[in-house]
């Protein structure tokens, strides 16, 4: 291995460590607790080393969001692939989405609530974000219905899931009715 390859590998490892540490700290204490000073202390690198990888917290949030998008896409695809029939696939997708949001609140915020400097729904949208949407579209597109554009239907269903995730987490919707809400969403919107 050349010196250049070793340096590139070490740099990539430092970036993974920064992102993993930021994510861990955010999940434990919220995004307000994530500062370059605290990250530097936790990973035992100087702040200038952090700034050599990320220009600031915004870029770190963006990196966490991209990692989370890949995980969300994998979770949605895995859940839908294990279900038989369109209704079961849509229900599995919805449960996987809400489970991801509930079990990864800081990552979910990085993806959909915070400014990570990422472009959404544009030509320059990063590939992991496009792939997360594609994972939803793969299942939801098949139930969009005649004359309904699959992408538009997917956006509408996704917005409903996001609303359920956000309102439940904020205590605006009682969590004990999440299953019933999902059934309504699947039966009335997706399988009408």
């Amino acid at each position: 291995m050349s010196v250049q390859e070793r340096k590139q590998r070490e740099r990539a490892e430092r970036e993974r460590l920064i992102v993993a540490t930021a994510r861990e700290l955010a999940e434990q204490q919220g995004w307000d607790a994530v500062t370059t000073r605290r990250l530097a202390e936790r990973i035992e690198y100087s702040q200038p080393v952090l700034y050599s990888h990320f220009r600031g917290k915004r870029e770190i949030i963006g990196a966490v969001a991209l990692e989370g998008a890949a995980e969300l896409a994998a979770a949605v695809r895995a859940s839908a692939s294990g279900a038989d029939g369109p209704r079961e696939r849509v229900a599995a997708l919805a449960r996987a989405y809400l489970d991801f949001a509930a079990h990864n609140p800081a990552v979910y915020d990085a993806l959909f609530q915070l400014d990570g400097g990422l472009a959404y729904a544009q030509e320059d949208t990063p590939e992991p974000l496009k792939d997360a949407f594609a994972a939803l579209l793969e299942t939801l597109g098949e139930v969009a219905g005649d004359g309904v554009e699959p992408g538009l239907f997917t956006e509408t269903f996704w917005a409903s899931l996001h609303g359920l995730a956000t309102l439940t987490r904020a205590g605006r919707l009682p969590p004990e009715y999440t299953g019933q809400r999902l059934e309504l969403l699947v039966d009335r919107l997706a399988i009408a």
Side-chain angles (χ1 to χ4, degrees):
M1 175 182 305
S2 73
V3 172
Q4 180 69 14
E5 290 172 329
R6 181 182 54 79
K7 285 184 179 185
Q8 287 176 340
R9 188 185 77 231
E10 289 171 354
R11 180 172 179 74
E13 288 172 8
R14 276 193 309 272
E15 279 189 17
R16 280 191 296 276
L17 179 61
I18 293 166
V19 171
T21 304
R23 181 176 174 165
E24 178 183 315
L25 187 57
E27 291 292 1
Q28 291 171 352
Q29 300 176 31
W31 278 105
D32 287 343
V34 179
T35 64
T36 54
R37 181 181 305 257
R38 289 186 83 186
L39 286 173
E41 289 171 4
R42 283 205 174 193
I43 64 173
E44 298 177 348
Y45 283 110
S46 67
Q47 283 182 294
V49 169
L50 264 71
Y51 285 117
S52 74
H53 292 275
F54 300 99
R55 286 183 291 205
K57 183 175 175 177
R58 181 178 186 220
E59 284 189 5
I60 294 169
I61 290 169
V64 170
L66 294 176
E67 188 176 272
E71 292 171 12
L72 177 60
V76 164
R77 283 189 175 108
S79 68
S81 71
D84 292 326
R87 186 199 184 286
E88 291 75 17
R89 281 191 291 280
V90 171
L93 172 147
R95 280 190 299 276
Y97 185 96
L98 293 180
D99 286 348
F100 180 88
H103 293 107
N104 303 283
V107 174
Y108 193 81
D109 284 349
L111 268 165
F112 302 119
Q113 304 290 95
L114 302 174
D115 179 9
L118 304 173
Y120 285 78
Q122 298 175 20
E123 283 190 32
D124 60 340
T125 298
E127 199 54 44
L129 298 177
K130 288 179 182 178
D131 189 52
F133 184 78
L136 297 172
L137 181 62
E138 289 162 11
T139 296
L140 295 170
E142 73 179 272
V143 299
D146 293 336
V148 177
E149 200 281 312
L152 184 61
F153 177 79
T154 300
E155 290 171 351
T156 303
F157 196 89
W158 169 32
S160 298
L161 288 175
H162 176 71
L164 288 174
T166 303
L167 292 170
T168 301
R169 185 167 139 209
R172 304 294 195 273
L173 296 175
E176 62 269 18
Y177 297 111
T178 297
Q180 291 168 298
R181 287 186 198 99
L182 275 180
E183 294 297 316
L184 282 170
L185 183 60
V186 170
D187 290 339
R188 304 294 178 172
L189 184 59
I191 312 294

